[in-house]
Amino acid sequence: MPEKANGIVWRQEVYPRDLEAVGRQVRATGFFSEEEALIAVELVEERLSRGEESGYFFLFAEEQQRLLGYACFGPIPGSVHSYDLYWIVVDPEVQGRGIGKKLLAESERLMAARGA
């Protein structure tokens, strides 16, 4: 997927600003519990502190540095080719634009590129 398409920037790098943005977005959906929101933020913290060694990989969709949605995935420990899609979240204000479908498709492509 291009880094930028239709005004949306797609990135895999995790930044400290993602801690707040992920927490805010997970809560905004109204779908996840507070405990789940804290776990989502913990995964971002883990990736920031340990990098790829954390086993958590992210894909973010942004527009003018505003988080529109994100996915988090990683290899299943003890398996050779299996991955879990841990999170896929789209801001309620932009749902219906196909962002979730693109996040899923690109996450699947990235997992396959890593051997899934």
Side-chain angles (χ1 to χ4, degrees), residues 65-114:
Q65 291 196 344
R66 174 182 170 233
L67 183 63
L68 303 178
Y70 84 99
C72 175
F73 54 89
I76 298 172
S79 71
V80 177
H81 300 290
S82 297
Y83 274 63
D84 272 329
L85 176 63
Y86 297 114
W87 293 89
I88 186 164
V89 179
V90 176
D91 186 316
E93 292 181 17
V94 297
Q95 289 176 1
R97 289 177 49 184
I99 295 167
K101 287 180 186 178
K102 290 177 186 170
L103 281 167
L104 179 59
E106 182 63 6
S107 294
E108 289 174 337
R109 188 192 71 75
L110 292 169
M111 287 183 266
R114 292 183 166 280

Side-chain angles (χ1 to χ4, degrees), residues 6-61:
N6 299 325
I8 297 175
V9 174
W10 300 88
R11 66 174 167 87
Q12 296 176 58
E13 189 170 347
V14 180
Y15 299 118
R17 72 176 188 249
D18 295 323
L19 290 164
E20 181 183 341
V22 162
R24 182 176 53 247
Q25 190 164 89
V26 169
R27 289 176 182 95
T29 67
F31 184 76
F32 302 101
S33 70
E34 181 59 24
E35 183 178 11
E36 289 170 314
L38 293 173
I39 291 168
V41 172
E42 284 177 21
L43 299 185
V44 176
E45 289 173 339
E46 185 75 8
R47 175 59 192 235
L48 285 169
S49 68
R50 296 183 59 216
E52 285 192 14
E53 187 180 302
S54 69
Y56 299 115
F57 297 89
F58 288 84
L59 178 62
F60 297 94

